[in-house]
PDB file of all heavy atoms in Angstrom:
ATOM      1  N   VAL A   1      21.007  -5.518  12.654  1.00 98.00           N
ATOM      2  CA  VAL A   1      22.429  -5.574  12.748  1.00 98.00           C
ATOM      3  C   VAL A   1      23.024  -4.205  13.119  1.00 98.00           C
ATOM      4  O   VAL A   1      22.670  -3.193  12.490  1.00 98.00           O
ATOM      5  CB  VAL A   1      23.046  -6.063  11.434  1.00 98.00           C
ATOM      6  CG1 VAL A   1      24.596  -6.128  11.485  1.00 98.00           C
ATOM      7  CG2 VAL A   1      22.548  -7.440  11.025  1.00 98.00           C
ATOM      8  N   PHE A   2      23.968  -4.204  14.027  1.00 98.00           N
ATOM      9  CA  PHE A   2      24.731  -3.076  14.435  1.00 98.00           C
ATOM     10  C   PHE A   2      26.254  -3.372  14.104  1.00 98.00           C
ATOM     11  O   PHE A   2      26.835  -4.157  14.784  1.00 98.00           O
ATOM     12  CB  PHE A   2      24.569  -2.708  15.875  1.00 98.00           C
ATOM     13  CG  PHE A   2      23.194  -2.257  16.222  1.00 98.00           C
ATOM     14  CD1 PHE A   2      22.186  -3.229  16.379  1.00 98.00           C
ATOM     15  CD2 PHE A   2      22.877  -0.957  16.425  1.00 98.00           C
ATOM     16  CE1 PHE A   2      20.847  -2.831  16.625  1.00 98.00           C
ATOM     17  CE2 PHE A   2      21.621  -0.485  16.738  1.00 98.00           C
ATOM     18  CZ  PHE A   2      20.588  -1.457  16.840  1.00 98.00           C
ATOM     19  N   LEU A   3      26.776  -2.761  13.017  1.00 98.00           N
ATOM     20  CA  LEU A   3      28.139  -3.043  12.615  1.00 98.00           C
ATOM     21  C   LEU A   3      28.947  -1.906  12.965  1.00 98.00           C
ATOM     22  O   LEU A   3      28.728  -0.709  12.562  1.00 98.00           O
ATOM     23  CB  LEU A   3      28.160  -3.306  11.084  1.00 98.00           C
ATOM     24  CG  LEU A   3      29.496  -3.751  10.517  1.00 98.00           C
ATOM     25  CD1 LEU A   3      29.320  -4.699   9.320  1.00 98.00           C
ATOM     26  CD2 LEU A   3      30.354  -2.486  10.081  1.00 98.00           C
ATOM     27  N   PHE A   4      30.108  -2.164  13.686  1.00 98.00           N
ATOM     28  CA  PHE A   4      31.029  -1.168  14.107  1.00 98.00           C
ATOM     29  C   PHE A   4      32.401  -1.381  13.373  1.00 98.00           C
ATOM     30  O   PHE A   4      32.747  -2.623  13.159  1.00 98.00           O
ATOM     31  CB  PHE A   4      31.274  -1.234  15.627  1.00 98.00           C
ATOM     32  CG  PHE A   4      30.061  -1.036  16.477  1.00 98.00           C
ATOM     33  CD1 PHE A   4      29.107  -2.032  16.661  1.00 98.00           C
ATOM     34  CD2 PHE A   4      29.808   0.189  17.040  1.00 98.00           C
ATOM     35  CE1 PHE A   4      28.013  -1.814  17.421  1.00 98.00           C
ATOM     36  CE2 PHE A   4      28.693   0.417  17.805  1.00 98.00           C
ATOM     37  CZ  PHE A   4      27.789  -0.578  17.989  1.00 98.00           C
ATOM     38  N   ASN A   5      33.130  -0.366  13.046  1.00 98.00           N
ATOM     39  CA  ASN A   5      34.466  -0.582  12.473  1.00 98.00           C
ATOM     40  C   ASN A   5      35.422  -0.640  13.661  1.00 98.00           C
ATOM     41  O   ASN A   5      35.081  -0.607  14.850  1.00 98.00           O
ATOM     42  CB  ASN A   5      34.764   0.548  11.462  1.00 98.00           C
ATOM     43  CG  ASN A   5      34.818   1.956  12.128  1.00 98.00           C
ATOM     44  OD1 ASN A   5      34.915   2.168  13.318  1.00 98.00           O
ATOM     45  ND2 ASN A   5      34.879   2.920  11.272  1.00 98.00           N
ATOM     46  N   THR A   6      36.686  -0.763  13.347  1.00 97.00           N
ATOM     47  CA  THR A   6      37.710  -0.928  14.361  1.00 97.00           C
ATOM     48  C   THR A   6      38.064   0.345  15.097  1.00 97.00           C
ATOM     49  O   THR A   6      38.844   0.342  16.054  1.00 97.00           O
ATOM     50  CB  THR A   6      39.011  -1.494  13.765  1.00 97.00           C
ATOM     51  OG1 THR A   6      39.397  -0.713  12.594  1.00 97.00           O
ATOM     52  CG2 THR A   6      38.824  -2.944  13.368  1.00 97.00           C
ATOM     53  N   GLU A   7      37.426   1.482  14.670  1.00 98.00           N
ATOM     54  CA  GLU A   7      37.539   2.688  15.360  1.00 98.00           C
ATOM     55  C   GLU A   7      36.367   2.920  16.353  1.00 98.00           C
ATOM     56  O   GLU A   7      36.100   4.002  16.820  1.00 98.00           O
ATOM     57  CB  GLU A   7      37.564   3.938  14.371  1.00 98.00           C
ATOM     58  CG  GLU A   7      38.824   3.940  13.513  1.00 98.00           C
ATOM     59  CD  GLU A   7      38.741   5.103  12.543  1.00 98.00           C
ATOM     60  OE1 GLU A   7      37.743   5.729  12.363  1.00 98.00           O
ATOM     61  OE2 GLU A   7      39.856   5.411  11.977  1.00 98.00           O
ATOM     62  N   ASN A   8      35.546   1.828  16.398  1.00 98.00           N
ATOM     63  CA  ASN A   8      34.325   1.812  17.327  1.00 98.00           C
ATOM     64  C   ASN A   8      33.295   2.757  16.864  1.00 98.00           C
ATOM     65  O   ASN A   8      32.438   3.212  17.678  1.00 98.00           O
ATOM     66  CB  ASN A   8      34.742   2.214  18.833  1.00 98.00           C
ATOM     67  CG  ASN A   8      35.484   1.017  19.440  1.00 98.00           C
ATOM     68  OD1 ASN A   8      35.524  -0.102  18.967  1.00 98.00           O
ATOM     69  ND2 ASN A   8      36.241   1.418  20.574  1.00 98.00           N
ATOM     70  N   LYS A   9      33.247   3.078  15.562  1.00 98.00           N
ATOM     71  CA  LYS A   9      32.163   3.860  14.984  1.00 98.00           C
ATOM     72  C   LYS A   9      31.093   2.926  14.453  1.00 98.00           C
ATOM     73  O   LYS A   9      31.396   1.880  13.878  1.00 98.00           O
ATOM     74  CB  LYS A   9      32.676   4.796  13.870  1.00 98.00           C
ATOM     75  CG  LYS A   9      33.679   5.842  14.407  1.00 98.00           C
ATOM     76  CD  LYS A   9      34.054   6.807  13.278  1.00 98.00           C
ATOM     77  CE  LYS A   9      34.916   7.933  13.744  1.00 98.00           C
ATOM     78  NZ  LYS A   9      35.367   8.833  12.643  1.00 98.00           N
ATOM     79  N   LEU A  10      29.844   3.346  14.551  1.00 98.00           N
ATOM     80  CA  LEU A  10      28.698   2.553  14.149  1.00 98.00           C
ATOM     81  C   LEU A  10      28.311   2.977  12.794  1.00 98.00           C
ATOM     82  O   LEU A  10      28.085   4.107  12.515  1.00 98.00           O
ATOM     83  CB  LEU A  10      27.591   2.811  15.112  1.00 98.00           C
ATOM     84  CG  LEU A  10      26.204   2.147  14.772  1.00 98.00           C
ATOM     85  CD1 LEU A  10      26.255   0.674  14.662  1.00 98.00           C
ATOM     86  CD2 LEU A  10      25.097   2.604  15.801  1.00 98.00           C
ATOM     87  N   LEU A  11      28.023   2.022  11.880  1.00 98.00           N
ATOM     88  CA  LEU A  11      27.572   2.309  10.537  1.00 98.00           C
ATOM     89  C   LEU A  11      26.028   2.390  10.553  1.00 98.00           C
ATOM     90  O   LEU A  11      25.362   1.492  10.924  1.00 98.00           O
ATOM     91  CB  LEU A  11      27.923   1.179   9.645  1.00 98.00           C
ATOM     92  CG  LEU A  11      27.497   1.229   8.167  1.00 98.00           C
ATOM     93  CD1 LEU A  11      28.026   2.474   7.444  1.00 98.00           C
ATOM     94  CD2 LEU A  11      27.896  -0.014   7.410  1.00 98.00           C
ATOM     95  N   LEU A  12      25.567   3.577  10.221  1.00 98.00           N
ATOM     96  CA  LEU A  12      24.141   3.856  10.067  1.00 98.00           C
ATOM     97  C   LEU A  12      23.792   3.965   8.527  1.00 98.00           C
ATOM     98  O   LEU A  12      24.634   4.317   7.684  1.00 98.00           O
ATOM     99  CB  LEU A  12      23.838   5.221  10.679  1.00 98.00           C
ATOM    100  CG  LEU A  12      24.022   5.349  12.235  1.00 98.00           C
ATOM    101  CD1 LEU A  12      23.449   6.660  12.702  1.00 98.00           C
ATOM    102  CD2 LEU A  12      23.425   4.227  13.008  1.00 98.00           C
ATOM    103  N   GLN A  13      22.532   3.803   8.281  1.00 97.00           N
ATOM    104  CA  GLN A  13      21.983   3.993   6.887  1.00 97.00           C
ATOM    105  C   GLN A  13      20.753   4.863   7.036  1.00 97.00           C
ATOM    106  O   GLN A  13      20.050   4.841   7.972  1.00 97.00           O
ATOM    107  CB  GLN A  13      21.737   2.753   6.183  1.00 97.00           C
ATOM    108  CG  GLN A  13      20.655   1.885   6.852  1.00 97.00           C
ATOM    109  CD  GLN A  13      20.041   0.869   5.847  1.00 97.00           C
ATOM    110  OE1 GLN A  13      19.192   1.325   5.055  1.00 97.00           O
ATOM    111  NE2 GLN A  13      20.376  -0.395   6.037  1.00 97.00           N
ATOM    112  N   GLN A  14      20.483   5.544   5.889  1.00 97.00           N
ATOM    113  CA  GLN A  14      19.166   6.173   5.691  1.00 97.00           C
ATOM    114  C   GLN A  14      18.417   5.419   4.658  1.00 97.00           C
ATOM    115  O   GLN A  14      18.926   5.173   3.514  1.00 97.00           O
ATOM    116  CB  GLN A  14      19.318   7.602   5.227  1.00 97.00           C
ATOM    117  CG  GLN A  14      17.975   8.319   5.039  1.00 97.00           C
ATOM    118  CD  GLN A  14      18.106   9.764   4.520  1.00 97.00           C
ATOM    119  OE1 GLN A  14      19.120  10.126   3.947  1.00 97.00           O
ATOM    120  NE2 GLN A  14      17.134  10.512   4.634  1.00 97.00           N
ATOM    121  N   ARG A  15      17.258   4.909   4.996  1.00 96.00           N
ATOM    122  CA  ARG A  15      16.538   4.048   4.082  1.00 96.00           C
ATOM    123  C   ARG A  15      16.062   4.811   2.866  1.00 96.00           C
ATOM    124  O   ARG A  15      15.718   5.911   2.906  1.00 96.00           O
ATOM    125  CB  ARG A  15      15.302   3.452   4.798  1.00 96.00           C
ATOM    126  CG  ARG A  15      15.663   2.460   5.883  1.00 96.00           C
ATOM    127  CD  ARG A  15      14.509   2.267   6.903  1.00 96.00           C
ATOM    128  NE  ARG A  15      13.373   1.557   6.306  1.00 96.00           N
ATOM    129  CZ  ARG A  15      13.210   0.252   6.230  1.00 96.00           C
ATOM    130  NH1 ARG A  15      14.225  -0.529   6.653  1.00 96.00           N
ATOM    131  NH2 ARG A  15      12.102  -0.268   5.699  1.00 96.00           N
ATOM    132  N   SER A  16      16.134   4.130   1.754  1.00 94.00           N
ATOM    133  CA  SER A  16      15.731   4.679   0.427  1.00 94.00           C
ATOM    134  C   SER A  16      14.298   5.193   0.492  1.00 94.00           C
ATOM    135  O   SER A  16      13.456   4.616   1.271  1.00 94.00           O
ATOM    136  CB  SER A  16      15.885   3.699  -0.629  1.00 94.00           C
ATOM    137  OG  SER A  16      15.230   4.022  -1.850  1.00 94.00           O
ATOM    138  N   ASN A  17      13.970   6.180  -0.324  1.00 92.00           N
ATOM    139  CA  ASN A  17      12.579   6.583  -0.385  1.00 92.00           C
ATOM    140  C   ASN A  17      11.722   5.610  -1.194  1.00 92.00           C
ATOM    141  O   ASN A  17      10.519   5.786  -1.359  1.00 92.00           O
ATOM    142  CB  ASN A  17      12.466   7.992  -0.934  1.00 92.00           C
ATOM    143  CG  ASN A  17      13.075   8.153  -2.369  1.00 92.00           C
ATOM    144  OD1 ASN A  17      13.360   7.142  -3.024  1.00 92.00           O
ATOM    145  ND2 ASN A  17      13.243   9.316  -2.822  1.00 92.00           N
ATOM    146  N   ALA A  18      12.384   4.592  -1.759  1.00 91.00           N
ATOM    147  CA  ALA A  18      11.612   3.441  -2.428  1.00 91.00           C
ATOM    148  C   ALA A  18      11.121   2.445  -1.429  1.00 91.00           C
ATOM    149  O   ALA A  18      10.209   1.703  -1.779  1.00 91.00           O
ATOM    150  CB  ALA A  18      12.554   2.746  -3.410  1.00 91.00           C
ATOM    151  N   LYS A  19      11.594   2.497  -0.169  1.00 92.00           N
ATOM    152  CA  LYS A  19      11.197   1.491   0.776  1.00 92.00           C
ATOM    153  C   LYS A  19       9.702   1.604   1.106  1.00 92.00           C
ATOM    154  O   LYS A  19       9.150   2.748   1.141  1.00 92.00           O
ATOM    155  CB  LYS A  19      12.027   1.558   2.083  1.00 92.00           C
ATOM    156  CG  LYS A  19      13.451   1.377   1.927  1.00 92.00           C
ATOM    157  CD  LYS A  19      13.845  -0.081   1.548  1.00 92.00           C
ATOM    158  CE  LYS A  19      13.794  -0.958   2.729  1.00 92.00           C
ATOM    159  NZ  LYS A  19      14.321  -2.336   2.444  1.00 92.00           N
ATOM    160  N   ILE A  20       9.046   0.510   1.269  1.00 87.00           N
ATOM    161  CA  ILE A  20       7.591   0.565   1.481  1.00 87.00           C
ATOM    162  C   ILE A  20       7.295   0.931   2.961  1.00 87.00           C
ATOM    163  O   ILE A  20       6.302   1.630   3.207  1.00 87.00           O
ATOM    164  CB  ILE A  20       6.925  -0.802   1.074  1.00 87.00           C
ATOM    165  CG1 ILE A  20       7.094  -1.003  -0.430  1.00 87.00           C
ATOM    166  CG2 ILE A  20       5.510  -0.892   1.455  1.00 87.00           C
ATOM    167  CD1 ILE A  20       6.759  -2.350  -0.933  1.00 87.00           C
ATOM    168  N   THR A  21       8.070   0.473   3.893  1.00 93.00           N
ATOM    169  CA  THR A  21       7.855   0.878   5.262  1.00 93.00           C
ATOM    170  C   THR A  21       9.001   1.748   5.708  1.00 93.00           C
ATOM    171  O   THR A  21      10.125   1.539   5.366  1.00 93.00           O
ATOM    172  CB  THR A  21       7.815  -0.388   6.221  1.00 93.00           C
ATOM    173  OG1 THR A  21       9.045  -1.158   6.093  1.00 93.00           O
ATOM    174  CG2 THR A  21       6.590  -1.301   5.924  1.00 93.00           C
ATOM    175  N   PHE A  22       8.620   2.831   6.314  1.00 95.00           N
ATOM    176  CA  PHE A  22       9.560   3.791   6.925  1.00 95.00           C
ATOM    177  C   PHE A  22      10.635   4.274   5.932  1.00 95.00           C
ATOM    178  O   PHE A  22      11.844   4.300   6.197  1.00 95.00           O
ATOM    179  CB  PHE A  22      10.303   3.155   8.122  1.00 95.00           C
ATOM    180  CG  PHE A  22       9.262   2.764   9.208  1.00 95.00           C
ATOM    181  CD1 PHE A  22       8.870   1.475   9.358  1.00 95.00           C
ATOM    182  CD2 PHE A  22       8.668   3.769  10.045  1.00 95.00           C
ATOM    183  CE1 PHE A  22       7.908   1.088  10.338  1.00 95.00           C
ATOM    184  CE2 PHE A  22       7.686   3.362  10.977  1.00 95.00           C
ATOM    185  CZ  PHE A  22       7.372   2.018  11.121  1.00 95.00           C
ATOM    186  N   PRO A  23      10.171   4.762   4.779  1.00 95.00           N
ATOM    187  CA  PRO A  23      11.130   5.330   3.786  1.00 95.00           C
ATOM    188  C   PRO A  23      11.705   6.654   4.336  1.00 95.00           C
ATOM    189  O   PRO A  23      11.188   7.262   5.222  1.00 95.00           O
ATOM    190  CB  PRO A  23      10.247   5.692   2.663  1.00 95.00           C
ATOM    191  CG  PRO A  23       8.806   5.962   3.176  1.00 95.00           C
ATOM    192  CD  PRO A  23       8.752   4.922   4.336  1.00 95.00           C
ATOM    193  N   ASP A  24      12.971   6.870   3.932  1.00 96.00           N
ATOM    194  CA  ASP A  24      13.792   8.026   4.301  1.00 96.00           C
ATOM    195  C   ASP A  24      14.274   8.062   5.741  1.00 96.00           C
ATOM    196  O   ASP A  24      14.866   9.047   6.144  1.00 96.00           O
ATOM    197  CB  ASP A  24      12.957   9.363   3.977  1.00 96.00           C
ATOM    198  CG  ASP A  24      12.569   9.529   2.553  1.00 96.00           C
ATOM    199  OD1 ASP A  24      13.420   9.341   1.675  1.00 96.00           O
ATOM    200  OD2 ASP A  24      11.418   9.878   2.259  1.00 96.00           O
ATOM    201  N   CYS A  25      13.864   7.071   6.487  1.00 97.00           N
ATOM    202  CA  CYS A  25      14.263   7.042   7.942  1.00 97.00           C
ATOM    203  C   CYS A  25      15.794   6.605   8.077  1.00 97.00           C
ATOM    204  O   CYS A  25      16.215   5.737   7.455  1.00 97.00           O
ATOM    205  CB  CYS A  25      13.356   6.137   8.716  1.00 97.00           C
ATOM    206  SG  CYS A  25      11.657   6.753   8.916  1.00 97.00           S
ATOM    207  N   PHE A  26      16.399   7.273   9.096  1.00 97.00           N
ATOM    208  CA  PHE A  26      17.669   6.830   9.531  1.00 97.00           C
ATOM    209  C   PHE A  26      17.553   5.609  10.434  1.00 97.00           C
ATOM    210  O   PHE A  26      16.617   5.585  11.256  1.00 97.00           O
ATOM    211  CB  PHE A  26      18.486   7.991  10.255  1.00 97.00           C
ATOM    212  CG  PHE A  26      18.764   9.052   9.254  1.00 97.00           C
ATOM    213  CD1 PHE A  26      17.984  10.205   9.046  1.00 97.00           C
ATOM    214  CD2 PHE A  26      20.019   9.135   8.553  1.00 97.00           C
ATOM    215  CE1 PHE A  26      18.269  11.149   8.162  1.00 97.00           C
ATOM    216  CE2 PHE A  26      20.336  10.144   7.655  1.00 97.00           C
ATOM    217  CZ  PHE A  26      19.440  11.211   7.460  1.00 97.00           C
ATOM    218  N   THR A  27      18.491   4.733  10.398  1.00 98.00           N
ATOM    219  CA  THR A  27      18.359   3.542  11.168  1.00 98.00           C
ATOM    220  C   THR A  27      19.753   2.905  11.364  1.00 98.00           C
ATOM    221  O   THR A  27      20.703   3.337  10.845  1.00 98.00           O
ATOM    222  CB  THR A  27      17.365   2.543  10.539  1.00 98.00           C
ATOM    223  OG1 THR A  27      16.968   1.540  11.464  1.00 98.00           O
ATOM    224  CG2 THR A  27      17.853   1.897   9.248  1.00 98.00           C
ATOM    225  N   ASN A  28      19.822   1.733  12.044  1.00 98.00           N
ATOM    226  CA  ASN A  28      21.003   1.027  12.206  1.00 98.00           C
ATOM    227  C   ASN A  28      21.478   0.390  10.937  1.00 98.00           C
ATOM    228  O   ASN A  28      20.904   0.489   9.910  1.00 98.00           O
ATOM    229  CB  ASN A  28      20.855  -0.011  13.355  1.00 98.00           C
ATOM    230  CG  ASN A  28      19.583  -0.955  13.162  1.00 98.00           C
ATOM    231  OD1 ASN A  28      18.514  -0.480  13.302  1.00 98.00           O
ATOM    232  ND2 ASN A  28      19.863  -2.198  12.773  1.00 98.00           N
TER     233      ASN A  28
END
């Protein structure tokens, strides 16, 4: 999912270090 606000900015997240695959990685 790529979620944009009404200012056309994209919401990114950094995955928790608890995640089993790709922890700490920034992503959509």
Side-chain angles (χ1 to χ4, degrees):
V1 178
F2 294 77
L3 185 147
F4 300 81
N5 63 15
T6 53
E7 297 178 346
N8 290 342
K9 293 182 178 180
L10 172 62
L11 179 60
L12 299 185
Q13 63 158 284
Q14 182 185 16
R15 291 162 68 87
S16 163
N17 59 13
K19 299 291 281 186
I20 294 171
T21 59
F22 302 100
D24 299 316
C25 289
F26 293 89
T27 194
N28 50 289

